[in-house]
Amino acid sequence: MTAKYSEYEFRSQPWFDQDNFKGFNDAIPMKTMVICCFDPRATEAPQIVAEHFGDEVYPGQNVLDEQGNKVGHTRTLFAVYCAGGRAASALQSVATMDYLFNVRKVVVVHHSFCGATGFRPDQLIGRYHDCHHADITNMFDRESLAISNYEESLKHDIGLLRASPAVPEAVELYGFFYEMNKGELIEVVCDIPA
Ligand SMILES: [Zn+2]
Protein backbone atom coordinates (compact mmCIF):
# COMPACT_ATOMS: atom_id res chain seq x y z
CA MET A 1 0.00 0.00 0.00
CA THR A 2 1.25 3.45 -0.86
CA ALA A 3 1.30 6.05 1.87
CA LYS A 4 -1.27 8.82 1.56
CA TYR A 5 0.05 11.89 -0.29
CA SER A 6 3.18 10.01 -1.37
CA GLU A 7 2.63 11.22 -4.96
CA TYR A 8 3.69 14.63 -3.64
CA GLU A 9 7.06 13.40 -2.39
CA PHE A 10 10.26 13.89 -4.35
CA ARG A 11 11.37 10.36 -3.49
CA SER A 12 8.41 8.90 -5.37
CA GLN A 13 9.02 10.90 -8.58
CA PRO A 14 10.47 8.70 -11.37
CA TRP A 15 13.01 11.40 -12.36
CA PHE A 16 14.27 11.92 -8.81
CA ASP A 17 17.37 9.96 -7.76
CA GLN A 18 17.56 10.23 -3.99
CA ASP A 19 20.88 8.39 -3.71
CA ASN A 20 22.60 10.65 -6.22
CA PHE A 21 21.17 13.94 -5.04
CA LYS A 22 23.15 16.94 -6.30
CA GLY A 23 21.10 19.68 -4.67
CA PHE A 24 18.18 21.83 -5.73
CA ASN A 25 20.39 24.77 -6.75
CA ASP A 26 19.18 24.67 -10.35
CA ALA A 27 15.61 25.20 -9.13
CA ILE A 28 16.36 27.80 -6.45
CA PRO A 29 19.75 29.59 -6.31
CA MET A 30 19.71 29.77 -2.51
CA LYS A 31 23.03 30.89 -0.98
CA THR A 32 22.27 32.97 2.12
CA MET A 33 20.29 32.32 5.29
CA VAL A 34 19.00 35.10 7.52
CA ILE A 35 18.06 34.20 11.09
CA CYS A 36 15.78 36.89 12.48
CA CYS A 37 12.98 37.53 14.96
CA PHE A 38 9.34 36.91 14.03
CA ASP A 39 8.28 40.20 15.61
CA PRO A 40 5.84 41.57 12.98
CA ARG A 41 7.43 45.02 13.31
CA ALA A 42 10.76 43.68 12.08
CA THR A 43 9.72 41.11 9.45
CA GLU A 44 11.31 43.21 6.70
CA ALA A 45 14.79 42.36 8.04
CA PRO A 46 15.57 39.79 5.29
CA GLN A 47 14.75 42.39 2.62
CA ILE A 48 17.02 44.94 4.35
CA VAL A 49 19.84 42.38 4.51
CA ALA A 50 19.36 41.53 0.81
CA GLU A 51 19.64 45.23 -0.10
CA HIS A 52 22.72 45.57 2.14
CA PHE A 53 24.61 42.83 0.31
CA GLY A 54 23.35 43.96 -3.09
CA ASP A 55 23.82 40.61 -4.84
CA GLU A 56 20.78 38.84 -3.39
CA VAL A 57 17.29 38.25 -4.76
CA TYR A 58 14.50 38.76 -2.21
CA PRO A 59 11.62 38.21 -2.22
CA GLY A 60 11.96 37.03 -5.85
CA GLN A 61 9.31 35.05 -7.68
CA ASN A 62 8.10 31.59 -8.57
CA VAL A 63 9.39 29.78 -11.64
CA LEU A 64 6.54 27.88 -13.31
CA ASP A 65 6.55 25.04 -15.81
CA GLU A 66 4.16 24.89 -18.79
CA GLN A 67 1.44 23.37 -16.63
CA GLY A 68 1.77 26.14 -14.05
CA ASN A 69 3.47 23.97 -11.45
CA LYS A 70 5.89 25.70 -9.11
CA VAL A 71 9.18 24.14 -10.12
CA GLY A 72 11.56 26.78 -8.83
CA HIS A 73 12.03 30.26 -7.45
CA THR A 74 14.44 33.14 -8.06
CA ARG A 75 15.07 33.84 -4.34
CA THR A 76 18.69 33.57 -3.17
CA LEU A 77 18.16 34.47 0.48
CA PHE A 78 16.04 32.42 2.87
CA ALA A 79 14.71 33.67 6.19
CA VAL A 80 14.42 31.64 9.38
CA TYR A 81 12.06 33.39 11.78
CA CYS A 82 12.27 32.47 15.45
CA ALA A 83 12.02 34.11 18.88
CA GLY A 84 14.65 36.83 19.15
CA GLY A 85 16.36 35.65 15.95
CA ARG A 86 18.61 33.45 18.04
CA ALA A 87 21.00 31.17 16.17
CA ALA A 88 20.46 28.22 18.52
CA SER A 89 16.92 27.86 17.14
CA ALA A 90 18.13 27.71 13.55
CA LEU A 91 20.94 25.13 13.58
CA GLN A 92 18.83 22.32 12.14
CA SER A 93 17.71 24.63 9.32
CA VAL A 94 21.33 25.47 8.47
CA ALA A 95 22.31 21.81 8.22
CA THR A 96 19.20 20.97 6.19
CA MET A 97 19.66 23.90 3.79
CA ASP A 98 23.28 22.91 3.31
CA TYR A 99 22.10 19.47 2.19
CA LEU A 100 19.43 20.79 -0.16
CA PHE A 101 21.34 23.82 -1.46
CA ASN A 102 24.77 25.35 -0.98
CA VAL A 103 24.83 27.72 1.96
CA ARG A 104 27.55 30.42 1.64
CA LYS A 105 26.44 33.00 4.21
CA VAL A 106 24.52 32.82 7.47
CA VAL A 107 23.32 36.13 8.87
CA VAL A 108 21.92 36.78 12.35
CA VAL A 109 19.77 39.87 12.90
CA HIS A 110 18.74 41.12 16.35
CA HIS A 111 16.34 44.08 16.26
CA SER A 112 15.68 47.10 18.46
CA PHE A 113 13.01 46.78 21.17
CA CYS A 114 12.96 43.01 20.79
CA GLY A 115 10.73 41.26 23.33
CA ALA A 116 13.74 39.13 24.26
CA THR A 117 15.30 42.22 25.90
CA GLY A 118 12.44 42.36 28.41
CA PHE A 119 13.34 39.45 30.67
CA ARG A 120 16.20 37.33 32.00
CA PRO A 121 16.48 33.60 31.19
CA ASP A 122 15.75 32.66 34.82
CA GLN A 123 12.52 34.70 34.69
CA LEU A 124 11.28 32.86 31.61
CA ILE A 125 12.17 29.49 33.14
CA GLY A 126 10.64 30.40 36.52
CA ARG A 127 7.39 31.74 35.09
CA TYR A 128 7.04 28.70 32.87
CA HIS A 129 7.45 26.44 35.88
CA ASP A 130 4.91 28.42 37.91
CA CYS A 131 2.29 28.51 35.16
CA HIS A 132 2.71 25.11 33.55
CA HIS A 133 4.38 23.01 36.27
CA ALA A 134 7.09 21.91 33.85
CA ASP A 135 10.83 22.33 34.08
CA ILE A 136 12.48 23.66 30.91
CA THR A 137 15.75 24.57 32.70
CA ASN A 138 17.95 22.22 30.69
CA MET A 139 16.08 22.22 27.39
CA PHE A 140 17.74 25.25 25.83
CA ASP A 141 21.03 27.11 25.65
CA ARG A 142 20.42 29.56 28.49
CA GLU A 143 22.37 32.38 26.82
CA SER A 144 20.02 32.10 23.86
CA LEU A 145 16.78 32.52 25.81
CA ALA A 146 16.98 36.29 26.24
CA ILE A 147 18.91 39.24 24.84
CA SER A 148 20.74 40.94 27.70
CA ASN A 149 23.01 43.06 25.49
CA TYR A 150 22.88 43.32 21.68
CA GLU A 151 26.63 43.17 21.14
CA GLU A 152 26.91 40.13 23.39
CA SER A 153 23.90 38.35 21.90
CA LEU A 154 25.20 38.84 18.36
CA LYS A 155 28.74 37.77 19.28
CA HIS A 156 27.34 34.79 21.16
CA ASP A 157 25.26 33.69 18.17
CA ILE A 158 28.07 34.08 15.63
CA GLY A 159 30.38 32.16 18.00
CA LEU A 160 27.72 29.47 18.46
CA LEU A 161 27.35 29.08 14.68
CA ARG A 162 31.13 28.98 14.13
CA ALA A 163 31.59 26.33 16.83
CA SER A 164 28.70 24.18 15.63
CA PRO A 165 29.38 21.10 13.47
CA ALA A 166 25.99 21.87 11.85
CA VAL A 167 27.51 24.93 10.12
CA PRO A 168 30.03 24.21 7.32
CA GLU A 169 33.48 25.71 8.03
CA ALA A 170 33.60 27.75 4.81
CA VAL A 171 30.34 29.61 5.53
CA GLU A 172 30.65 33.39 6.07
CA LEU A 173 28.92 34.60 9.23
CA TYR A 174 27.48 38.06 9.88
CA GLY A 175 25.73 39.55 12.92
CA PHE A 176 23.65 42.72 12.43
CA PHE A 177 21.80 45.02 14.79
CA TYR A 178 18.63 46.29 13.12
CA GLU A 179 17.19 49.55 14.37
CA MET A 180 13.69 48.95 13.04
CA ASN A 181 12.37 52.50 13.58
CA LYS A 182 15.06 54.08 11.40
CA GLY A 183 15.37 51.02 9.14
CA GLU A 184 19.08 51.04 9.89
CA LEU A 185 21.17 47.87 9.63
CA ILE A 186 24.49 47.91 11.50
CA GLU A 187 27.16 45.23 11.17
CA VAL A 188 28.31 44.28 14.66
CA VAL A 189 30.31 41.14 14.01
CA CYS A 190 31.51 39.19 11.00
CA ASP A 191 33.51 36.00 10.70
CA ILE A 192 34.78 35.28 7.20
CA PRO A 193 37.01 32.20 6.87
CA ALA A 194 40.38 32.87 5.23
ZN1 LIG B 1 12.16 40.36 18.54
Side-chain angles (χ1 to χ4, degrees), residues 45-124:
Q47 174 91 57
I48 304 284
V49 170
E51 288 165 8
H52 172 83
F53 285 123
D55 60 347
E56 303 283 352
V57 176
Y58 189 94
Q61 57 194 23
N62 280 310
V63 175
L64 306 178
D65 68 10
E66 287 172 2
Q67 286 78 43
N69 296 307
K70 297 174 183 175
V71 294
H73 203 283
T74 60
R75 184 176 300 182
T76 62
L77 178 149
F78 283 13
V80 182
Y81 287 106
C82 56
R86 301 311 302 266
S89 301
L91 286 173
Q92 184 189 337
S93 295
V94 176
T96 305
M97 288 305 94
D98 189 69
Y99 182 78
L100 294 179
F101 300 99
N102 184 9
V103 180
R104 307 264 176 79
K105 284 181 189 161
V106 176
V107 179
V108 174
V109 180
H110 294 165
H111 70 96
S112 57
F113 301 104
C114 183
T117 66
F119 57 86
R120 295 187 311 270
D122 63 285
Q123 291 177 309
L124 187 151

Coordinates of all heavy atoms in Angstrom, one line a residue, residues 45-124:
A45 N 13.3 42.5 7.9 CA 14.8 42.4 8.0 C 15.5 41.6 6.9 O 16.5 42.1 6.4 CB 15.1 41.7 9.4
P46 N 14.9 40.5 6.4 CA 15.6 39.8 5.3 C 15.7 40.7 4.0 O 16.8 40.6 3.4 CB 14.7 38.6 5.0 CG 13.9 38.4 6.3 CD 13.7 39.7 6.9
Q47 N 14.7 41.5 3.8 CA 14.7 42.4 2.6 C 15.9 43.4 2.8 O 16.6 43.7 1.9 CB 13.4 43.1 2.5 CG 13.4 44.2 1.5 CD 12.9 43.7 0.1 OE1 11.8 43.1 0.0 NE2 13.7 43.8 -0.9
I48 N 16.0 43.9 4.0 CA 17.0 44.9 4.3 C 18.4 44.3 4.2 O 19.3 45.0 3.7 CB 16.8 45.5 5.8 CG1 15.4 46.0 6.0 CG2 17.9 46.5 6.2 CD1 15.1 47.4 5.4
V49 N 18.6 43.1 4.6 CA 19.8 42.4 4.5 C 20.2 42.1 3.0 O 21.3 42.4 2.6 CB 19.8 41.0 5.3 CG1 21.1 40.2 4.9 CG2 19.7 41.3 6.8
A50 N 19.2 41.8 2.3 CA 19.4 41.5 0.8 C 19.8 42.8 0.1 O 20.8 42.8 -0.7 CB 18.1 41.0 0.2
E51 N 19.2 43.9 0.5 CA 19.6 45.2 -0.1 C 21.1 45.6 0.4 O 21.8 46.1 -0.4 CB 18.6 46.3 0.3 CG 17.3 46.2 -0.4 CD 16.2 47.0 0.2 OE1 16.5 47.9 1.1 OE2 15.0 46.8 -0.2
H52 N 21.4 45.3 1.6 CA 22.7 45.6 2.1 C 23.8 44.9 1.3 O 24.8 45.5 1.0 CB 22.8 45.2 3.6 CG 24.2 45.3 4.2 ND1 24.7 46.4 4.7 CD2 25.1 44.3 4.4 CE1 25.9 46.2 5.1 NE2 26.2 45.0 5.0
F53 N 23.6 43.6 1.0 CA 24.6 42.8 0.3 C 24.6 43.2 -1.2 O 25.7 43.2 -1.8 CB 24.4 41.3 0.5 CG 24.9 40.8 1.9 CD1 24.0 40.1 2.7 CD2 26.2 41.1 2.3 CE1 24.4 39.7 3.9 CE2 26.6 40.6 3.6 CZ 25.7 39.9 4.4
G54 N 23.4 43.5 -1.7 CA 23.3 44.0 -3.1 C 23.4 42.9 -4.2 O 23.0 43.2 -5.3
D55 N 23.8 41.7 -3.8 CA 23.8 40.6 -4.8 C 22.8 39.5 -4.5 O 23.1 38.3 -4.8 CB 25.2 40.1 -5.0 CG 25.8 39.5 -3.7 OD1 25.1 39.7 -2.6 OD2 26.8 38.8 -3.7
E56 N 21.8 39.8 -3.8 CA 20.8 38.8 -3.4 C 19.4 39.1 -4.1 O 19.2 40.3 -4.4 CB 20.6 38.9 -1.9 CG 21.8 38.7 -1.0 CD 22.2 37.2 -1.0 OE1 21.5 36.3 -1.4 OE2 23.3 37.0 -0.4
V57 N 18.6 38.1 -4.2 CA 17.3 38.3 -4.8 C 16.3 37.9 -3.6 O 16.3 36.8 -3.1 CB 17.0 37.3 -6.0 CG1 15.6 37.5 -6.4 CG2 18.0 37.7 -7.1
Y58 N 15.5 38.9 -3.2 CA 14.5 38.8 -2.2 C 13.4 39.8 -2.4 O 13.8 41.0 -2.5 CB 15.1 38.8 -0.8 CG 14.2 38.5 0.3 CD1 14.1 37.2 0.8 CD2 13.3 39.4 0.8 CE1 13.2 36.8 1.8 CE2 12.4 39.0 1.8 CZ 12.4 37.8 2.3 OH 11.5 37.4 3.2
P59 N 12.2 39.6 -2.4 CA 11.6 38.2 -2.2 C 11.7 37.3 -3.5 O 11.6 36.1 -3.3 CB 10.2 38.5 -1.9 CG 9.9 39.8 -2.5 CD 11.1 40.6 -2.4
G60 N 11.9 37.9 -4.7 CA 12.0 37.0 -5.8 C 10.6 36.5 -6.3 O 9.6 37.0 -5.8
Q61 N 10.6 35.6 -7.2 CA 9.3 35.1 -7.7 C 9.4 33.6 -8.1 O 10.5 33.0 -8.3 CB 8.9 35.9 -8.9 CG 9.9 35.9 -10.0 CD 9.6 37.0 -11.0 OE1 8.9 38.0 -10.7 NE2 10.1 36.8 -12.2
N62 N 8.2 33.0 -8.2 CA 8.1 31.6 -8.6 C 8.6 31.4 -10.0 O 8.4 32.3 -10.9 CB 6.7 31.1 -8.5 CG 6.3 30.8 -7.0 OD1 7.0 30.0 -6.3 ND2 5.1 31.3 -6.6
V63 N 9.1 30.2 -10.3 CA 9.4 29.8 -11.6 C 8.4 28.7 -11.9 O 8.3 27.7 -11.2 CB 10.8 29.2 -11.8 CG1 11.0 28.7 -13.2 CG2 11.8 30.3 -11.5
L64 N 7.6 28.8 -13.0 CA 6.5 27.9 -13.3 C 6.9 27.1 -14.5 O 7.5 27.6 -15.5 CB 5.2 28.6 -13.5 CG 4.7 29.6 -12.4 CD1 3.5 30.3 -12.9 CD2 4.5 28.8 -11.1
D65 N 6.4 25.8 -14.6 CA 6.5 25.0 -15.8 C 5.3 25.3 -16.7 O 4.5 26.1 -16.4 CB 6.7 23.5 -15.5 CG 5.5 22.9 -14.9 OD1 4.4 23.5 -14.9 OD2 5.6 21.7 -14.5
E66 N 5.2 24.6 -17.8 CA 4.2 24.9 -18.8 C 2.8 24.6 -18.2 O 1.8 25.1 -18.7 CB 4.4 24.1 -20.1 CG 5.5 24.7 -20.9 CD 5.9 23.8 -22.1 OE1 5.3 22.8 -22.3 OE2 6.9 24.2 -22.8
Q67 N 2.7 23.7 -17.2 CA 1.4 23.4 -16.6 C 1.1 24.3 -15.5 O 0.1 24.2 -14.8 CB 1.4 21.9 -16.1 CG 1.4 20.9 -17.2 CD 2.7 20.6 -17.9 OE1 3.7 20.6 -17.3 NE2 2.6 20.5 -19.2
G68 N 2.0 25.2 -15.2 CA 1.8 26.1 -14.0 C 2.2 25.6 -12.7 O 1.9 26.2 -11.7
N69 N 2.9 24.5 -12.7 CA 3.5 24.0 -11.5 C 4.7 24.8 -11.0 O 5.5 25.3 -11.8 CB 4.0 22.5 -11.6 CG 2.8 21.6 -12.0 OD1 1.8 21.5 -11.3 ND2 3.0 20.9 -13.1
K70 N 4.8 25.0 -9.7 CA 5.9 25.7 -9.1 C 7.1 24.8 -9.1 O 7.2 23.9 -8.2 CB 5.5 26.2 -7.7 CG 4.4 27.1 -7.6 CD 4.0 27.5 -6.2 CE 2.8 28.4 -6.2 NZ 2.3 28.6 -4.8
V71 N 8.0 25.0 -10.0 CA 9.2 24.1 -10.1 C 10.5 24.8 -9.7 O 11.5 24.2 -9.7 CB 9.3 23.6 -11.6 CG1 8.2 22.7 -11.9 CG2 9.4 24.8 -12.6
G72 N 10.4 26.1 -9.3 CA 11.6 26.8 -8.8 C 11.2 28.2 -8.3 O 10.0 28.5 -8.2
H73 N 12.2 28.9 -8.0 CA 12.0 30.3 -7.5 C 13.3 31.0 -7.7 O 14.4 30.4 -7.8 CB 11.7 30.2 -6.0 CG 11.0 31.4 -5.4 ND1 11.6 32.6 -5.2 CD2 9.7 31.6 -5.1 CE1 10.7 33.5 -4.8 NE2 9.5 32.9 -4.7
T74 N 13.2 32.4 -7.8 CA 14.4 33.1 -8.1 C 15.1 33.6 -6.8 O 16.2 34.2 -6.8 CB 14.1 34.4 -8.9 OG1 13.2 35.2 -8.2 CG2 13.5 34.0 -10.3
R75 N 14.5 33.3 -5.6 CA 15.1 33.8 -4.3 C 16.4 33.2 -4.0 O 16.6 32.0 -4.2 CB 14.1 33.5 -3.2 CG 14.5 34.1 -1.9 CD 13.4 33.8 -0.8 NE 12.1 34.5 -1.2 CZ 11.1 34.4 -0.4 NH1 11.1 33.8 0.7 NH2 9.9 35.0 -0.8
T76 N 17.4 34.1 -3.6 CA 18.7 33.6 -3.2 C 18.9 33.6 -1.7 O 19.8 33.0 -1.2 CB 19.8 34.5 -3.8 OG1 19.7 35.8 -3.2 CG2 19.7 34.5 -5.3
L77 N 18.0 34.3 -1.0 CA 18.2 34.5 0.5 C 16.9 34.0 1.2 O 15.8 34.4 0.9 CB 18.4 36.0 0.7 CG 18.5 36.5 2.1 CD1 19.5 37.7 2.1 CD2 17.2 36.9 2.7
F78 N 17.1 33.0 2.1 CA 16.0 32.4 2.9 C 16.0 33.0 4.3 O 17.1 33.2 4.9 CB 16.2 30.9 3.0 CG 15.9 30.1 1.7 CD1 15.7 30.8 0.5 CD2 15.7 28.8 1.8 CE1 15.3 30.1 -0.6 CE2 15.4 28.0 0.6 CZ 15.2 28.7 -0.6
A79 N 14.8 33.2 4.8 CA 14.7 33.7 6.2 C 14.3 32.6 7.1 O 13.4 31.8 6.8 CB 13.7 34.8 6.2
V80 N 14.9 32.5 8.3 CA 14.4 31.6 9.4 C 13.9 32.6 10.5 O 14.7 33.3 11.1 CB 15.6 30.8 9.9 CG1 15.0 29.8 11.0 CG2 16.2 30.0 8.8
Y81 N 12.6 32.5 10.7 CA 12.1 33.4 11.8 C 11.9 32.6 13.1 O 11.4 31.5 13.1 CB 10.7 33.9 11.4 CG 10.7 35.0 10.3 CD1 10.4 34.7 9.0 CD2 11.1 36.3 10.6 CE1 10.4 35.7 8.0 CE2 11.1 37.3 9.7 CZ 10.8 37.0 8.4 OH 10.8 38.0 7.4
C82 N 12.4 33.1 14.2 CA 12.3 32.5 15.5 C 12.3 33.5 16.5 O 12.7 34.7 16.3 CB 13.4 31.4 15.6 SG 15.0 32.0 15.5
A83 N 12.1 33.2 17.8 CA 12.0 34.1 18.9 C 13.4 34.8 19.1 O 14.4 34.1 19.3 CB 11.6 33.4 20.2
G84 N 13.4 36.1 18.9 CA 14.6 36.8 19.1 C 15.7 36.7 18.0 O 16.7 37.4 18.0
G85 N 15.4 35.9 17.0 CA 16.4 35.7 15.9 C 17.6 35.0 16.5 O 18.7 35.3 16.0
R86 N 17.5 34.1 17.4 CA 18.6 33.4 18.0 C 19.1 32.2 17.2 O 18.3 31.4 16.8 CB 18.3 33.0 19.5 CG 17.9 34.2 20.4 CD 18.8 35.4 20.3 NE 20.2 35.1 20.7 CZ 20.7 35.2 21.9 NH1 20.0 35.6 22.9 NH2 22.0 34.9 22.1
A87 N 20.4 32.2 17.0 CA 21.0 31.2 16.2 C 20.7 29.7 16.6 O 20.6 28.8 15.8 CB 22.5 31.4 16.1
A88 N 20.7 29.6 18.0 CA 20.5 28.2 18.5 C 19.2 27.6 18.0 O 19.2 26.3 17.8 CB 20.4 28.3 20.0
S89 N 18.2 28.4 17.7 CA 16.9 27.9 17.1 C 17.0 27.4 15.7 O 16.1 26.8 15.2 CB 15.8 28.9 17.2 OG 15.6 29.3 18.6
A90 N 18.1 27.9 15.0 CA 18.1 27.7 13.5 C 19.1 26.7 13.1 O 19.3 26.5 11.9 CB 18.4 29.1 12.9
L91 N 19.9 26.0 14.0 CA 20.9 25.1 13.6 C 20.5 24.0 12.7 O 21.1 23.7 11.7 CB 21.6 24.5 14.8 CG 22.5 25.5 15.6 CD1 23.0 24.9 16.8 CD2 23.7 25.9 14.7
Q92 N 19.3 23.4 13.0 CA 18.8 22.3 12.1 C 18.5 22.8 10.7 O 18.8 22.1 9.7 CB 17.6 21.7 12.8 CG 17.1 20.5 12.0 CD 15.7 20.0 12.5 OE1 15.3 20.3 13.6 NE2 15.0 19.4 11.6
S93 N 18.0 24.1 10.6 CA 17.7 24.6 9.3 C 19.0 24.9 8.5 O 19.0 24.7 7.3 CB 16.9 25.9 9.5 OG 15.7 25.7 10.1
V94 N 20.1 25.3 9.2 CA 21.3 25.5 8.5 C 21.8 24.2 7.9 O 22.2 24.1 6.7 CB 22.4 26.1 9.4 CG1 23.7 26.2 8.6 CG2 22.0 27.5 9.9
A95 N 21.8 23.1 8.7 CA 22.3 21.8 8.2 C 21.4 21.3 7.1 O 21.9 20.7 6.1 CB 22.4 20.8 9.4
T96 N 20.1 21.5 7.2 CA 19.2 21.0 6.2 C 19.4 21.7 4.9 O 19.4 21.2 3.8 CB 17.7 21.1 6.7 OG1 17.6 20.4 7.9 CG2 16.8 20.5 5.6
M97 N 19.5 23.1 5.0 CA 19.7 23.9 3.8 C 21.0 23.6 3.1 O 21.1 23.7 1.9 CB 19.5 25.4 4.1 CG 18.1 25.8 4.4 SD 16.9 25.4 3.2 CE 16.2 23.9 3.8
D98 N 22.0 23.2 3.9 CA 23.3 22.9 3.3 C 23.2 21.6 2.5 O 23.8 21.5 1.5 CB 24.4 22.8 4.4 CG 25.7 22.6 3.7 OD1 26.2 23.6 3.1 OD2 26.3 21.5 3.7
Y99 N 22.3 20.7 2.9 CA 22.1 19.5 2.2 C 21.3 19.7 0.9 O 21.7 19.3 -0.2 CB 21.3 18.4 3.0 CG 21.1 17.1 2.3 CD1 22.1 16.2 2.2 CD2 19.9 16.8 1.7 CE1 22.0 15.0 1.5 CE2 19.7 15.7 1.0 CZ 20.8 14.7 0.9 OH 20.6 13.6 0.2
L100 N 20.3 20.6 1.0 CA 19.4 20.8 -0.2 C 20.0 21.8 -1.1 O 19.7 21.8 -2.3 CB 18.0 21.3 0.3 CG 17.2 20.3 1.1 CD1 15.9 20.9 1.5 CD2 17.0 19.0 0.3
F101 N 20.8 22.8 -0.6 CA 21.3 23.8 -1.5 C 22.8 23.9 -1.2 O 23.5 22.9 -1.1 CB 20.6 25.1 -1.2 CG 19.1 25.1 -1.5 CD1 18.2 24.9 -0.4 CD2 18.7 25.2 -2.7 CE1 16.9 24.8 -0.7 CE2 17.3 25.1 -3.0 CZ 16.4 24.9 -2.0
N102 N 23.3 25.1 -1.2 CA 24.8 25.3 -1.0 C 24.9 26.6 -0.2 O 25.0 27.7 -0.8 CB 25.5 25.4 -2.3 CG 27.0 25.6 -2.2 OD1 27.5 25.4 -1.1 ND2 27.7 25.8 -3.3
V103 N 24.8 26.5 1.1 CA 24.8 27.7 2.0 C 26.2 28.4 2.0 O 27.2 27.7 2.3 CB 24.4 27.4 3.4 CG1 24.4 28.6 4.3 CG2 23.0 26.7 3.4
R104 N 26.3 29.7 1.6 CA 27.6 30.4 1.6 C 27.6 31.4 2.8 O 28.7 31.6 3.3 CB 27.7 31.2 0.3 CG 27.5 30.4 -0.9 CD 28.9 30.0 -1.5 NE 28.7 29.1 -2.6 CZ 28.4 29.5 -3.8 NH1 28.3 30.8 -4.1 NH2 28.3 28.7 -4.8
K105 N 26.5 32.0 3.1 CA 26.4 33.0 4.2 C 25.3 32.7 5.2 O 24.2 32.3 4.7 CB 26.1 34.4 3.6 CG 27.3 35.1 2.9 CD 26.8 36.5 2.5 CE 27.9 37.1 1.5 NZ 27.3 38.1 0.7
V106 N 25.6 32.9 6.5 CA 24.5 32.8 7.5 C 24.6 34.1 8.2 O 25.6 34.6 8.7 CB 24.7 31.6 8.4 CG1 23.6 31.7 9.5 CG2 24.6 30.3 7.7
V107 N 23.4 34.8 8.3 CA 23.3 36.1 8.9 C 22.4 36.1 10.1 O 21.3 35.5 10.0 CB 22.8 37.1 7.8 CG1 22.6 38.5 8.4 CG2 23.7 37.1 6.6
V108 N 22.8 36.7 11.2 CA 21.9 36.8 12.4 C 21.5 38.2 12.5 O 22.4 39.1 12.4 CB 22.7 36.3 13.6 CG1 21.8 36.5 14.9 CG2 23.0 34.8 13.5
V109 N 20.2 38.5 12.7 CA 19.8 39.9 12.9 C 19.0 39.9 14.2 O 18.1 39.2 14.4 CB 18.8 40.3 11.8 CG1 18.4 41.8 12.0 CG2 19.5 40.2 10.4
H110 N 19.5 40.8 15.1 CA 18.7 41.1 16.3 C 18.2 42.6 16.2 O 19.0 43.5 15.9 CB 19.6 40.9 17.6 CG 20.1 39.5 17.8 ND1 21.1 39.1 18.6 CD2 19.6 38.4 17.2 CE1 21.2 37.8 18.6 NE2 20.3 37.3 17.7
H111 N 16.9 42.8 16.5 CA 16.3 44.1 16.3 C 16.1 44.9 17.5 O 15.9 44.3 18.6 CB 15.0 43.9 15.5 CG 13.9 43.3 16.2 ND1 13.0 44.0 16.9 CD2 13.6 42.0 16.5 CE1 12.1 43.2 17.5 NE2 12.5 42.0 17.3
S112 N 15.9 46.2 17.3 CA 15.7 47.1 18.5 C 14.3 46.8 19.1 O 13.4 46.3 18.4 CB 15.7 48.6 18.0 OG 14.8 48.7 16.9
F113 N 14.2 47.0 20.4 CA 13.0 46.8 21.2 C 12.4 45.4 21.0 O 11.2 45.2 20.9 CB 12.0 47.9 20.9 CG 12.5 49.2 21.2 CD1 12.9 50.1 20.2 CD2 12.7 49.6 22.6 CE1 13.5 51.4 20.5 CE2 13.2 50.9 22.9 CZ 13.6 51.7 21.9
C114 N 13.4 44.4 20.9 CA 13.0 43.0 20.8 C 12.4 42.6 22.1 O 12.9 42.9 23.2 CB 14.2 42.1 20.4 SG 13.7 40.4 20.2
G115 N 11.3 41.8 22.1 CA 10.7 41.3 23.3 C 11.7 40.5 24.2 O 11.6 40.5 25.4
A116 N 12.7 39.9 23.5 CA 13.7 39.1 24.3 C 14.6 40.0 25.1 O 15.5 39.5 25.9 CB 14.6 38.3 23.3
T117 N 14.5 41.3 25.0 CA 15.3 42.2 25.9 C 14.5 42.6 27.1 O 15.0 43.4 28.0 CB 15.7 43.5 25.2 OG1 14.5 44.3 24.9 CG2 16.5 43.3 23.9
G118 N 13.3 42.0 27.3 CA 12.4 42.4 28.4 C 12.4 41.4 29.6 O 11.6 41.6 30.5
F119 N 13.3 40.4 29.6 CA 13.3 39.4 30.7 C 14.7 38.8 30.7 O 15.5 38.9 29.8 CB 12.3 38.4 30.5 CG 12.4 37.6 29.2 CD1 13.2 36.5 29.0 CD2 11.6 38.0 28.1 CE1 13.3 35.8 27.8 CE2 11.7 37.4 26.8 CZ 12.6 36.3 26.7
R120 N 15.0 38.1 31.9 CA 16.2 37.3 32.0 C 15.8 35.9 31.8 O 14.7 35.5 32.0 CB 16.8 37.5 33.4 CG 17.3 38.9 33.7 CD 18.1 38.8 35.1 NE 17.3 38.1 36.1 CZ 16.4 38.7 36.9 NH1 16.2 40.1 36.9 NH2 15.7 38.0 37.8
P121 N 16.8 35.0 31.4 CA 16.5 33.6 31.2 C 15.8 33.0 32.4 O 14.9 32.2 32.3 CB 17.9 33.0 30.9 CG 18.6 34.1 30.3 CD 18.2 35.4 31.0
D122 N 16.3 33.3 33.6 CA 15.7 32.7 34.8 C 14.3 33.1 35.0 O 13.5 32.3 35.6 CB 16.6 33.0 36.0 CG 16.6 34.5 36.4 OD1 17.3 35.2 35.6 OD2 15.9 34.9 37.3
Q123 N 13.9 34.3 34.6 CA 12.5 34.7 34.7 C 11.6 33.9 33.8 O 10.5 33.5 34.1 CB 12.4 36.2 34.4 CG 13.0 37.1 35.4 CD 13.0 38.5 35.1 OE1 13.4 38.9 34.0 NE2 12.5 39.4 36.0
L124 N 12.1 33.7 32.5 CA 11.3 32.9 31.6 C 11.1 31.4 32.1 O 10.0 30.9 32.2 CB 12.0 32.8 30.2 CG 11.2 32.2 29.1 CD1 11.7 32.8 27.8 CD2 11.5 30.7 29.0

